[in-house]
Amino acid sequence: MAGNSFGEIFRITTFGESHGKAIGVVIDGCPSGLKLDLDLIQHELDRRRPGQSAITTQRKESDTFEILSGVFEGKTLGSPIAITIKNEDPKPDDYAHLKEAYRPSHADFTYEMKYGTRDYRGGGRASARETAARVIAGAIAKQFIQQAGIEITAFVSSVGTIKLEKSYLDVDLAKAEGNIVRCPDAEIADKMIALIQDTRTKGDTVGGVVTCVIKGCPIGLGEPVFDKLHAELGKAMLSINAVHGFEYGSGFEGTQNYGSKNNDAFYTTAENKIETKTNFSGGIQGGISNGMNIYFNVAFKPVATIMQTQSSVDKEGHELELKGKGRHDPCVVPRAVPIVEAMAALVIADHLLRHRTTQL
Amino acid sequence: MAGNSFGEIFRITTFGESHGKAIGVVIDGCPSGLKLDLDLIQHELDRRRPGQSAITTQRKESDTFEILSGVFEGKTLGSPIAITIKNEDPKPDDYAHLKEAYRPSHADFTYEMKYGTRDYRGGGRASARETAARVIAGAIAKQFIQQAGIEITAFVSSVGTIKLEKSYLDVDLAKAEGNIVRCPDAEIADKMIALIQDTRTKGDTVGGVVTCVIKGCPIGLGEPVFDKLHAELGKAMLSINAVHGFEYGSGFEGTQNYGSKNNDAFYTTAENKIETKTNFSGGIQGGISNGMNIYFNVAFKPVATIMQTQSSVDKEGHELELKGKGRHDPCVVPRAVPIVEAMAALVIADHLLRHRTTQL
Amino acid sequence: MAGNSFGEIFRITTFGESHGKAIGVVIDGCPSGLKLDLDLIQHELDRRRPGQSAITTQRKESDTFEILSGVFEGKTLGSPIAITIKNEDPKPDDYAHLKEAYRPSHADFTYEMKYGTRDYRGGGRASARETAARVIAGAIAKQFIQQAGIEITAFVSSVGTIKLEKSYLDVDLAKAEGNIVRCPDAEIADKMIALIQDTRTKGDTVGGVVTCVIKGCPIGLGEPVFDKLHAELGKAMLSINAVHGFEYGSGFEGTQNYGSKNNDAFYTTAENKIETKTNFSGGIQGGISNGMNIYFNVAFKPVATIMQTQSSVDKEGHELELKGKGRHDPCVVPRAVPIVEAMAALVIADHLLRHRTTQL
Amino acid sequence: MAGNSFGEIFRITTFGESHGKAIGVVIDGCPSGLKLDLDLIQHELDRRRPGQSAITTQRKESDTFEILSGVFEGKTLGSPIAITIKNEDPKPDDYAHLKEAYRPSHADFTYEMKYGTRDYRGGGRASARETAARVIAGAIAKQFIQQAGIEITAFVSSVGTIKLEKSYLDVDLAKAEGNIVRCPDAEIADKMIALIQDTRTKGDTVGGVVTCVIKGCPIGLGEPVFDKLHAELGKAMLSINAVHGFEYGSGFEGTQNYGSKNNDAFYTTAENKIETKTNFSGGIQGGISNGMNIYFNVAFKPVATIMQTQSSVDKEGHELELKGKGRHDPCVVPRAVPIVEAMAALVIADHLLRHRTTQL
């Protein structure tokens, strides 16, 4: 109800302000008997971590997670899994100038209006630091769905105006992690990196698109009519900070198509499986996975923290100037890749379990 | 859990197969004391109805709704409001040819796989007829939110490659209902209509985009971190049949922007209100409405029912040919306008109520 | 949220006022492929129906149910099952005297205060007529759980001070339906009937207790820590009109026991099953079914509608006298038996499905 | 879904095994702006703590809570409040003997069957240690509802066969905390204490009843038809370890009444308020609070851990003897008093917020 939980059966609740004592997550409904690989959890956190490369913010964040419950002798118990990450000691002075000011396109103003209060230190609850909790939970969801043969891979398909024009089918997805911008095409990756570095120099930020592919998803996931699989994926993605758009399968471009082109004809494979010749449906028909690859795009706006002077107002509405200071992330899109994967894994894990209750 | 409910407090549950006895909706959580205008409900249904104009399917549907409960002496009681629409008597022979066949890009295959059964008559539960129930519920939600001064207007902004290039700010939204394609620009509307008529002639279908604007939304709606207002709107839209994409504010195009352009500077109006000079945020910051206009785009693929012969398979995987027959909708986008508005109204109604519990 | 839904996966939503157009229920989450016996549904409704015997109210109620959706060719589709029962035409004059008055120990006063309005005809939403919708849903739940070998039997174990002192183990449960008071001991049944008839003569009402036994429940149902199986059963029972108490296993009496007596020792049966020698636990340990019989008692207060003059107040607080008129139910406990079974079946059906998601 | 959350708007999720790293709770939906008195939280924990008096177990438990999030400058932010209590280092050897054995009337067997695994150290998730998390959350809920003028007081009304025969109206509730058994009648309290001490000497345990009174509850709380206020209270109480029964108002005894006695006549007070002359309804009519005192009884069985040798079986079904060892709680009922209050406070807090959404 208050918005900090996600999922119906595989259900997470995240908590924590950016500069409070800790952030964390409780996962309720993770099946018992799952052997957890803790290194994989840390690996996913490292992919999200600030300061991981030359094109991210150089800010340091503690990211040592601690499992408080729900795991015994290396396996899940079926009880809630609570995991925390301690925050560094906040230095209140660093944020004193934000106590009264509303930063443009941040959540300062809306939080203050909604709650009548806010933790102004580092964005408080609205900080993207909250996504670390999602990545932890997603890393556990990934381990659960891998047992069902499902693999999720996301990559950066555009940064600003630099766009990977190829389909995900025409690149080697395994190469996405081979460069710091996480684009599977080395040439395009270099251009993206150059653009981000240039953007940093200007004290500015730039947006981009993350593409995500889910392979091996069994037929039947998704609950019509409201919890269609793509509607759940869409909500998951749109809940990530800075996301302004979601499309799957033929997406916005497909609105220009005729049905005669856009329809996916069924045929029977040599292995006697029913598949479709094309996949404009993006692996989902009528809200239910059809066994083909699921793929979708997620649009990230340029993040709001820039190193330039901006005009704004304070609580009383007095105009003021805000100066950029400290470190910033010129483009969060590469660091968003593991977050997109995590949210996708949470949706799929939840629907794998929901689907168990469908038939007699 | 099984996917037929939407909303947390203002919560609807829809039911009904296309050719079963009836379709309908139960609204639980509509506040008591709301005076209902039944004509407005019928008006919204009429906007969605097949056969309303020369560019829609000429199929007839019964659409006389009956309120079974929850309303007494013209006002809501606070108890569940159940409303049904009877279906016409199905003629089973019309659908016998679909009993064994999977129509391309329909939900036939996935429903059969998920549930082990399906009502093959007219698409059963997967039929867009289900959206009539949403429109009824949305018409009640609209009446609730109008009391809070909120107005929702949607219109068609593209059909196939014909696109209204102007912003919603540069057209007269009131004119959208002035033509059968529901585009507020008469010239573009004519082109859209011509395209749809041409598409019908070819026995084909074409997609398009609906743009929706919410004016007068109070500051503070939306529940971070997962139930951000735009994430809820996105899920609502993506749950509508044939929708493949959602974007709000600066959307996909904004991914190409720099932060220095995309940030919305705050200022104080003459009436001493804090507003933003630009509105790339689309009226939502940090997942919470900021009082500016909310606007978003919804992408509809061309619908799957075409009047052309297509190859497909039957349950046993044998290949077959499906011939188009009967009537079809060459472009559902104009009829989707009231559905988009209905789903938006349901989201806003729910969040108006959720917001009541935020502060001490 | 607004209280008209029950269950998480096998989830029902009931609707309808006593003298509105219809009452009904939507069942969402009933697994697909369940062959429905409609006669069994009618049979359960008949067990609940007013006027079924000399000791119930002689009021007539329409009780012809109609399935609107979710069932195709005799089997469930996995989509929502909507079922309605039309109400008789209300005669407004019959209730005009209640428009302004609050009947003692009815819900008139609290509904008016909570909602600012009420349908005063026949109790409106607070009428026990609403339980017919539960009985319909329960009859479907029963058919689902019977497939898992689970049988639910309830009976009347006390009426006023007339009490069946024997344990459920010492009577033939099948005999409960053999008399109109639904007590499996014929001698006690006669005394109960006599008491009820005497109570009717006085224009009074009397309470009683229903005992319910669930046999064949598999080990493992119930979700600690809050959704313990007995907590869910307790809530289900307490939600039935006029219920004031619930106890399971050793119940209130067991509070007087020592642990050394009350503990249920485990042993291994000849069939190599682990069972307990005694069953003070009532078939549930730690909130989870242990495979032994589940049994519990449900306390019903005497219903509030009596044929005697009572003092009360009207909306303005003016004192007035209310005269009993029409027909009344001197003791609802026999008619509550199928309602108790229905609610128990709904809980078990839901937990059977929930349990499917527990383990890897 | 997996059972570790309670409440709809004021919603808690507890986590933690008895001998894992920590237990804790996340509260989502606590309104913003609530000034928290941390000493009151500690005070409630101290009332629940083992070792607090001569009649409880002498086991020591760490009970220093730490707030990780959701509170800033002494007030709630409206974001999730996460609170943990670290566990003492477990000594695995203490529990090695329980690894394979199922203790009678504990949850060992059912957890193993349900989850296929269990944390056998100190009862794991099934340990009553989990209730410390409820007490913390309840202490915050209490502070919220106190702002609405609501006070909750529970006390011990029976231990074994020693029963306080007086109504709660005829004792001074403030005296309940004046003795270690928490019975407001000093004479009866002494008898209870003597019984408990005698029970301890025998290495046995004994049950009892806690009575709870809610004063100052506004009219209108509770959501018919399923979430009736007493149904929610009942579920809350039945979810507490060792609880086997719940009754409110006239309860089980009232089943023996005639309606003419049991009905609560309305009248108008000198202050022009509508009240009832008697209160057999227990402050709740039709599932909605009517402004009178709410009162109910909660039945606790004797806890299962006794210091006597008992026969049982191991995982393979082999019979064995279990010896009592260590310390035990001869009667948990006095320590259950703050737990009952906490759960009641959580229900009332949730329904205070839910009620805000009822009317236009």
Side-chain angles (χ1 to χ4, degrees):
Chain A
M1 267 296 310
N4 297 288
S5 297
F6 186 82
E8 296 281 318
I9 295 182
F10 196 107
R11 182 172 175 86
I12 69 168
T13 302
T14 69
F15 58 84
E17 282 70 48
S18 175
H19 288 71
K21 283 209 178 156
I23 61 163
V25 62
V26 179
I27 306 167
D28 199 18
C30 181
S32 63
L34 180 66
K35 195 172 172 177
L36 284 189
D37 182 334
L38 304 189
D39 291 340
L40 280 179
I41 301 175
Q42 190 60 55
H43 172 68
E44 296 294 333
L45 276 175
D46 290 347
R47 292 174 73 206
R48 194 208 73 96
R49 189 174 49 194
Q52 66 184 268
S53 81
I55 57 170
T56 72
T57 174
Q58 296 307 303
R59 192 178 65 246
K60 294 279 186 271
E61 276 183 12
S62 151
D63 62 352
T64 313
F65 70 92
E66 184 178 28
I67 299 179
L68 301 182
S69 66
V71 181
F72 182 57
E73 297 178 344
K75 289 189 178 178
T76 58
L77 282 166
S79 57
I81 304 169
I83 304 182
T84 53
I85 303 179
K86 287 216 176 83
N87 292 327
E88 304 289 327
D89 285 340
K91 297 175 195 132
D93 291 354
D94 291 359
Y95 297 98
H97 65 298
L98 297 178
K99 193 171 178 175
E100 303 294 323
Y102 299 135
R103 292 168 296 165
S105 289
H106 274 89
D108 300 341
F109 171 67
T110 52
Y111 267 64
E112 183 89 30
M113 291 297 111
K114 181 174 186 66
Y115 298 105
T117 178
R118 74 187 156 106
D119 179 351
Y120 53 84
R121 302 166 304 169
R125 181 69 183 147
S127 165
R129 180 153 171 75
E130 180 266 336
T131 57
R134 303 181 183 212
V135 168
I136 291 173
I140 292 176
K142 272 189 179 182
Q143 298 186 42
F144 168 54
I145 67 177
Q146 275 167 353
Q147 305 233 355
I150 306 168
E151 292 291 337
I152 297 177
T153 313
F155 60 88
V156 173
S157 52
S158 79
V159 171
T161 53
I162 311 294
K163 190 177 170 188
L164 175 69
E165 299 288 350
K166 294 176 192 163
S167 155
Y168 76 90
L169 293 167
D170 299 325
V171 295
D172 179 358
L173 294 180
K175 290 194 175 155
E177 292 295 307
N179 56 65
I180 57 177
V181 80
R182 297 202 165 95
C183 174
D185 181 303
E187 203 173 328
I188 304 291
D190 285 345
K191 288 183 190 169
M192 290 172 169
I193 293 167
L195 174 58
I196 295 173
Q197 282 169 329
D198 180 60
T199 302
R200 181 206 295 279
T201 309
K202 294 172 181 160
D204 214 335
T205 58
V206 66
V209 174
V210 172
T211 297
C212 184
V213 183
I214 307 176
K215 294 187 175 180
C217 187
I219 302 172
L221 303 201
E223 300 292 327
V225 294
F226 293 107
D227 297 352
K228 293 184 165 100
L229 191 57
H230 56 267
E232 298 265 293
L233 287 166
K235 180 179 170 182
M237 299 308 142
L238 287 157
S239 76
I240 300 172
N241 299 36
V243 172
H244 270 241
F246 171 86
E247 60 180 359
Y248 82 103
S250 53
F252 274 90
E253 205 175 288
T255 65
Q256 303 184 9
N257 280 356
Y258 288 102
S260 55
K261 180 196 161 188
N262 211 68
N263 279 359
D264 295 316
F266 287 109
Y267 75 107
T268 304
T269 67
E271 295 78 29
N272 229 17
K273 280 176 60 186
I274 295 176
E275 296 196 348
T276 62
K277 292 176 191 170
T278 51
N279 186 16
F280 291 105
S281 300
I284 303 172
Q285 292 177 323
I288 300 169
S289 61
N290 69 355
M292 305 298 290
N293 289 336
I294 296 170
Y295 61 96
F296 55 85
N297 294 323
V298 187
F300 289 81
K301 70 161 188 174
V303 287
T305 304
I306 60 177
M307 295 297 104
Q308 302 181 2
T309 299
Q310 301 179 88
S311 67
S312 191
V313 299
D314 67 12
K315 283 191 192 180
E316 281 71 42
H318 301 134
E319 307 210 351
L320 52 80
E321 292 219 321
L322 274 170
K323 289 191 179 112
K325 63 183 213 177
R327 299 143 179 166
H328 85 302
D329 241 326
C331 180
V332 291
V333 183
R335 285 178 53 214
V337 166
I339 305 169
V340 165
E341 289 178 7
M343 292 307 297
L346 288 165
V347 170
I348 298 297
D350 192 33
H351 279 275
L352 265 179
L353 293 170
R354 291 173 74 169
H355 184 52
R356 288 189 188 176
T357 69
T358 303
Q359 292 196 23
L360 200 58
Chain B
M1 265 295 310
N4 296 288
S5 298
F6 185 82
E8 297 280 319
I9 295 182
F10 196 106
R11 181 172 176 86
I12 68 167
T13 302
T14 70
F15 57 85
E17 281 71 47
S18 175
H19 287 71
K21 284 210 179 156
I23 61 163
V25 63
V26 179
I27 306 166
D28 198 18
C30 181
S32 63
L34 178 66
K35 195 173 173 176
L36 284 189
D37 182 335
L38 304 190
D39 291 340
L40 280 179
I41 300 175
Q42 190 61 55
H43 172 69
E44 295 295 332
L45 276 175
D46 291 346
R47 292 174 72 208
R48 194 209 75 96
R49 189 174 48 193
Q52 66 183 267
S53 81
I55 57 169
T56 72
T57 174
Q58 295 308 304
R59 193 178 63 246
K60 293 280 184 272
E61 276 183 14
S62 152
D63 61 351
T64 314
F65 69 93
E66 185 179 25
I67 299 179
L68 302 183
S69 67
V71 180
F72 182 57
E73 297 177 344
K75 288 189 178 177
T76 58
L77 283 166
S79 56
I81 304 168
I83 304 181
T84 54
I85 303 179
K86 288 217 176 81
N87 291 327
E88 304 290 326
D89 285 340
K91 297 174 195 132
D93 291 353
D94 291 358
Y95 297 98
H97 66 297
L98 297 178
K99 193 169 177 176
E100 302 294 322
Y102 297 137
R103 291 168 297 165
S105 289
H106 273 90
D108 300 341
F109 172 68
T110 51
Y111 267 64
E112 184 90 30
M113 292 296 111
K114 181 176 184 67
Y115 298 106
T117 178
R118 73 188 157 105
D119 180 351
Y120 54 84
R121 302 166 303 167
R125 182 69 181 148
S127 165
R129 180 152 172 75
E130 180 266 335
T131 57
R134 303 182 184 210
V135 167
I136 291 174
I140 293 177
K142 273 189 178 180
Q143 298 185 43
F144 169 54
I145 68 176
Q146 274 167 356
Q147 305 232 355
I150 306 168
E151 292 292 336
I152 297 177
T153 313
F155 59 89
V156 173
S157 53
S158 79
V159 171
T161 53
I162 311 294
K163 190 176 169 188
L164 175 69
E165 300 287 350
K166 295 174 191 164
S167 154
Y168 76 90
L169 292 168
D170 299 326
V171 294
D172 179 357
L173 294 181
K175 290 194 175 156
E177 293 295 307
N179 56 65
I180 56 177
V181 79
R182 297 203 165 93
C183 174
D185 181 303
E187 202 174 330
I188 304 290
D190 285 344
K191 289 184 189 168
M192 289 172 170
I193 293 168
L195 174 58
I196 295 173
Q197 283 170 328
D198 181 60
T199 302
R200 181 208 292 279
T201 309
K202 294 173 182 158
D204 214 335
T205 58
V206 66
V209 173
V210 172
T211 297
C212 185
V213 183
I214 307 175
K215 294 188 175 179
C217 186
I219 302 172
L221 304 201
E223 300 292 326
V225 294
F226 294 107
D227 298 351
K228 293 185 166 99
L229 191 58
H230 56 268
E232 298 265 292
L233 287 166
K235 179 179 169 181
M237 299 307 143
L238 288 157
S239 76
I240 301 172
N241 298 36
V243 172
H244 270 239
F246 170 87
E247 60 180 0
Y248 83 104
S250 54
F252 274 89
E253 204 174 292
T255 64
Q256 301 184 10
N257 280 357
Y258 288 102
S260 54
K261 179 196 161 188
N262 212 68
N263 280 357
D264 295 317
F266 287 108
Y267 75 106
T268 304
T269 68
E271 295 77 29
N272 229 18
K273 278 176 60 186
I274 295 176
E275 296 195 349
T276 61
K277 292 176 190 170
T278 51
N279 187 16
F280 292 104
S281 299
I284 303 171
Q285 291 177 323
I288 300 169
S289 61
N290 69 356
M292 305 299 288
N293 290 337
I294 295 170
Y295 62 97
F296 54 85
N297 294 323
V298 186
F300 288 82
K301 70 161 189 175
V303 286
T305 304
I306 61 176
M307 294 298 104
Q308 302 181 1
T309 298
Q310 301 179 88
S311 67
S312 191
V313 298
D314 66 12
K315 282 190 191 180
E316 279 72 41
H318 301 134
E319 306 211 349
L320 53 80
E321 292 219 319
L322 274 170
K323 290 190 179 115
K325 63 183 214 178
R327 299 141 178 166
H328 85 302
D329 240 326
C331 180
V332 292
V333 182
R335 288 178 51 214
V337 165
I339 306 170
V340 164
E341 289 178 8
M343 292 306 300
L346 289 166
V347 170
I348 298 298
D350 191 36
H351 279 275
L352 265 180
L353 293 171
R354 291 172 75 168
H355 184 52
R356 289 190 188 174
T357 69
T358 303
Q359 291 196 25
L360 199 57
Chain C
M1 265 294 311
N4 297 287
S5 298
F6 186 82
E8 296 280 318
I9 295 182
F10 196 107
R11 182 170 175 88
I12 68 169
T13 302
T14 70
F15 57 84
E17 283 71 48
S18 175
H19 288 70
K21 283 210 179 157
I23 61 164
V25 62
V26 179
I27 306 167
D28 199 18
C30 181
S32 63
L34 179 66
K35 195 172 172 177
L36 283 189
D37 182 335
L38 304 189
D39 291 340
L40 280 179
I41 300 175
Q42 191 60 56
H43 173 69
E44 296 294 334
L45 276 175
D46 291 346
R47 292 174 72 205
R48 194 209 73 96
R49 188 175 49 194
Q52 66 183 268
S53 81
I55 56 171
T56 71
T57 174
Q58 296 308 303
R59 192 178 63 247
K60 294 281 184 271
E61 276 184 13
S62 153
D63 62 352
T64 312
F65 69 92
E66 184 178 26
I67 299 180
L68 301 182
S69 67
V71 181
F72 181 57
E73 298 179 343
K75 289 188 178 179
T76 57
L77 282 167
S79 57
I81 303 168
I83 303 181
T84 54
I85 303 178
K86 288 217 175 84
N87 291 328
E88 303 290 326
D89 285 339
K91 299 177 194 128
D93 291 353
D94 290 359
Y95 297 98
H97 66 297
L98 297 178
K99 192 169 178 177
E100 303 294 324
Y102 298 136
R103 291 168 296 166
S105 289
H106 273 89
D108 300 341
F109 172 68
T110 50
Y111 267 64
E112 184 90 31
M113 292 295 111
K114 181 175 186 66
Y115 298 105
T117 178
R118 74 188 156 106
D119 179 351
Y120 53 83
R121 302 167 304 168
R125 183 69 183 146
S127 165
R129 179 151 173 76
E130 179 266 334
T131 57
R134 304 182 183 212
V135 167
I136 290 173
I140 293 176
K142 271 189 178 182
Q143 297 185 44
F144 169 53
I145 68 176
Q146 273 166 356
Q147 304 232 357
I150 306 169
E151 292 291 336
I152 297 177
T153 314
F155 60 88
V156 173
S157 53
S158 80
V159 171
T161 54
I162 311 294
K163 190 176 171 189
L164 175 69
E165 300 287 348
K166 294 174 192 164
S167 154
Y168 76 90
L169 293 167
D170 299 325
V171 294
D172 179 356
L173 293 181
K175 290 194 176 156
E177 292 296 307
N179 57 65
I180 56 177
V181 79
R182 296 203 165 94
C183 174
D185 181 303
E187 202 173 330
I188 303 291
D190 285 345
K191 288 184 189 168
M192 290 172 170
I193 293 168
L195 174 58
I196 294 173
Q197 283 170 331
D198 181 61
T199 303
R200 180 206 295 278
T201 309
K202 293 174 181 158
D204 214 335
T205 58
V206 67
V209 173
V210 172
T211 297
C212 185
V213 183
I214 305 175
K215 294 188 174 179
C217 187
I219 303 172
L221 304 200
E223 300 292 328
V225 295
F226 293 108
D227 298 351
K228 292 182 165 103
L229 191 58
H230 56 267
E232 298 265 293
L233 286 166
K235 179 179 169 181
M237 299 306 143
L238 287 157
S239 77
I240 300 171
N241 299 37
V243 171
H244 270 240
F246 170 86
E247 60 180 1
Y248 82 103
S250 55
F252 274 90
E253 204 175 291
T255 64
Q256 302 183 11
N257 279 356
Y258 287 103
S260 55
K261 180 196 160 189
N262 211 68
N263 279 358
D264 296 316
F266 287 109
Y267 76 106
T268 305
T269 67
E271 295 77 30
N272 228 18
K273 280 177 58 188
I274 295 176
E275 296 195 349
T276 62
K277 292 176 189 169
T278 51
N279 186 16
F280 292 105
S281 301
I284 302 171
Q285 291 177 324
I288 300 168
S289 60
N290 68 357
M292 306 297 292
N293 291 335
I294 295 170
Y295 62 96
F296 55 84
N297 294 323
V298 186
F300 289 81
K301 71 161 189 175
V303 286
T305 304
I306 61 176
M307 295 298 105
Q308 301 181 1
T309 299
Q310 301 179 87
S311 67
S312 192
V313 298
D314 66 12
K315 283 190 191 181
E316 280 72 41
H318 301 134
E319 307 213 347
L320 52 80
E321 292 220 319
L322 275 170
K323 288 190 180 117
K325 63 183 211 178
R327 297 145 180 164
H328 85 303
D329 241 325
C331 181
V332 292
V333 183
R335 286 178 53 213
V337 165
I339 305 170
V340 164
E341 290 178 7
M343 293 307 298
L346 288 166
V347 170
I348 298 298
D350 192 35
H351 279 274
L352 266 179
L353 292 171
R354 292 173 74 169
H355 184 51
R356 289 190 189 174
T357 69
T358 304
Q359 291 196 23
L360 199 58
Chain D
M1 268 293 311
N4 296 288
S5 297
F6 185 82
E8 295 281 319
I9 295 181
F10 196 107
R11 182 171 175 88
I12 68 167
T13 301
T14 70
F15 57 83
E17 283 70 48
S18 175
H19 287 71
K21 282 210 178 156
I23 62 165
V25 62
V26 180
I27 306 167
D28 197 18
C30 181
S32 64
L34 179 66
K35 194 172 173 178
L36 284 189
D37 183 334
L38 304 190
D39 290 340
L40 280 179
I41 300 174
Q42 190 61 54
H43 173 68
E44 296 294 333
L45 276 175
D46 290 346
R47 291 174 73 207
R48 194 208 74 97
R49 189 175 49 195
Q52 67 184 269
S53 82
I55 57 170
T56 72
T57 174
Q58 295 309 301
R59 192 178 66 246
K60 294 280 186 271
E61 276 183 14
S62 153
D63 62 351
T64 313
F65 70 92
E66 184 179 26
I67 299 179
L68 301 182
S69 66
V71 180
F72 181 58
E73 298 178 343
K75 289 189 177 178
T76 57
L77 282 166
S79 56
I81 304 168
I83 304 181
T84 54
I85 305 179
K86 287 218 177 81
N87 291 326
E88 303 290 327
D89 286 339
K91 297 174 195 132
D93 292 353
D94 290 0
Y95 296 98
H97 66 297
L98 297 179
K99 192 171 177 176
E100 302 295 322
Y102 297 137
R103 291 168 297 165
S105 288
H106 273 89
D108 301 341
F109 172 68
T110 50
Y111 267 64
E112 183 91 30
M113 292 296 110
K114 182 176 185 65
Y115 299 105
T117 178
R118 73 189 157 105
D119 179 350
Y120 54 82
R121 301 166 304 169
R125 181 69 181 146
S127 165
R129 179 152 173 75
E130 180 266 336
T131 57
R134 303 182 183 211
V135 167
I136 291 172
I140 292 175
K142 272 189 178 181
Q143 297 185 42
F144 169 53
I145 68 178
Q146 274 167 355
Q147 304 232 358
I150 306 167
E151 292 291 337
I152 297 177
T153 314
F155 59 89
V156 173
S157 53
S158 80
V159 170
T161 54
I162 310 294
K163 188 176 171 190
L164 175 69
E165 300 286 350
K166 294 176 191 163
S167 153
Y168 77 89
L169 293 166
D170 300 326
V171 295
D172 180 357
L173 293 181
K175 289 193 175 157
E177 292 295 307
N179 56 66
I180 57 176
V181 79
R182 296 203 166 93
C183 174
D185 181 303
E187 203 173 330
I188 303 291
D190 285 345
K191 288 184 190 168
M192 289 173 171
I193 293 167
L195 174 57
I196 294 171
Q197 283 170 329
D198 181 59
T199 302
R200 180 207 294 279
T201 309
K202 293 173 181 158
D204 215 335
T205 58
V206 66
V209 174
V210 172
T211 297
C212 184
V213 183
I214 306 175
K215 295 187 174 180
C217 186
I219 302 172
L221 305 200
E223 300 292 327
V225 294
F226 294 108
D227 298 351
K228 292 185 165 101
L229 191 59
H230 56 267
E232 297 265 294
L233 287 166
K235 180 180 169 180
M237 298 307 143
L238 287 156
S239 77
I240 301 171
N241 299 37
V243 171
H244 271 240
F246 170 86
E247 60 181 1
Y248 82 103
S250 54
F252 275 90
E253 205 174 290
T255 65
Q256 302 184 9
N257 279 356
Y258 287 103
S260 56
K261 180 195 161 188
N262 211 68
N263 279 358
D264 295 316
F266 287 109
Y267 76 106
T268 304
T269 68
E271 295 79 27
N272 228 17
K273 278 176 59 186
I274 295 175
E275 296 196 349
T276 62
K277 292 177 189 168
T278 50
N279 186 16
F280 291 105
S281 299
I284 302 171
Q285 291 176 324
I288 301 168
S289 60
N290 68 357
M292 305 297 291
N293 290 336
I294 296 170
Y295 63 96
F296 55 84
N297 294 323
V298 187
F300 288 81
K301 70 162 189 173
V303 287
T305 304
I306 60 176
M307 294 297 105
Q308 301 180 3
T309 299
Q310 301 179 87
S311 67
S312 192
V313 298
D314 66 14
K315 283 190 191 181
E316 279 73 40
H318 301 134
E319 306 211 349
L320 53 79
E321 293 220 318
L322 274 170
K323 291 193 176 110
K325 62 183 213 179
R327 296 142 179 165
H328 85 301
D329 241 325
C331 181
V332 291
V333 182
R335 288 178 52 214
V337 165
I339 305 169
V340 164
E341 290 178 6
M343 291 308 298
L346 288 166
V347 170
I348 298 298
D350 192 34
H351 279 273
L352 266 179
L353 293 171
R354 291 172 75 169
H355 184 52
R356 288 189 189 176
T357 69
T358 303
Q359 292 195 25
L360 201 56

